[in-house]
Amino acid sequence: MFNATAKRVPRKIEAMNDRQRDGTEYCLDVWAAWMRKDDRDLGIKGSRGESEGDAAAARRDNEIAEATEAMMQSLILRHRWAIWKKFGITTAWRFPNADLAESYVEAVAALEPLLRKNVATRMQFG
């Protein structure tokens, strides 16, 4: 029997990850995957049956990752380390007098205008 006093539960609970990512987040996600890629095998990656669309997408991701890396080189060291730490590229935090979360927000704020201007990454910003 239905209890009229019971709260109605929505059918679909949206997770935080279901929201639309912005261009900076997308570029940083692609960059992080690129940084973690095992590139010791210099032969053909993937199967020979890989479609041209998959190969084109992989090239595009590499362009985005390389451009993001290049733009990050212009950031101050503390901001680069904040991004590296956030994405697990490094485990250490070399700035004990700086707050990691605050440094990351500052880093993203400094990186976004650079990514908006770059030829390889500006299409990610609507």
Side-chain angles (χ1 to χ4, degrees), residues 40-60:
R40 290 179 288 177
D41 179 16
L42 298 177
I44 297 174
K45 294 247 183 207
S47 66
R48 291 194 181 256
E50 188 176 75
S51 72
E52 289 183 26
D54 292 341
R59 280 192 304 275
R60 181 74 182 133

Side-chain angles (χ1 to χ4, degrees), residues 16-30:
M16 288 293 290
N17 293 336
D18 288 345
R19 68 177 176 77
Q20 183 69 26
R21 292 185 303 179
D22 69 359
T24 306
E25 288 175 343
Y26 178 78
C27 291
L28 286 172
D29 286 341
V30 170

Side-chain angles (χ1 to χ4, degrees), residues 32-89:
W34 179 72
M35 290 292 287
R36 291 185 191 102
K37 193 182 320 181
D38 182 9
D39 61 353
R40 290 179 288 177
D41 179 16
L42 298 177
I44 297 174
K45 294 247 183 207
S47 66
R48 291 194 181 256
E50 188 176 75
S51 72
E52 289 183 26
D54 292 341
R59 280 192 304 275
R60 181 74 182 133
D61 284 351
N62 283 339
E63 290 172 1
I64 290 170
E66 289 170 357
T68 302
E69 174 69 18
M71 297 301 103
M72 285 176 56
Q73 294 302 316
S74 67
L75 299 177
I76 62 174
L77 188 58
R78 179 173 50 94
H79 290 166
R80 278 186 278 164
W81 271 78
I83 293 171
W84 293 339
K85 177 75 172 151
K86 165 84 165 103
F87 286 92
I89 306 300

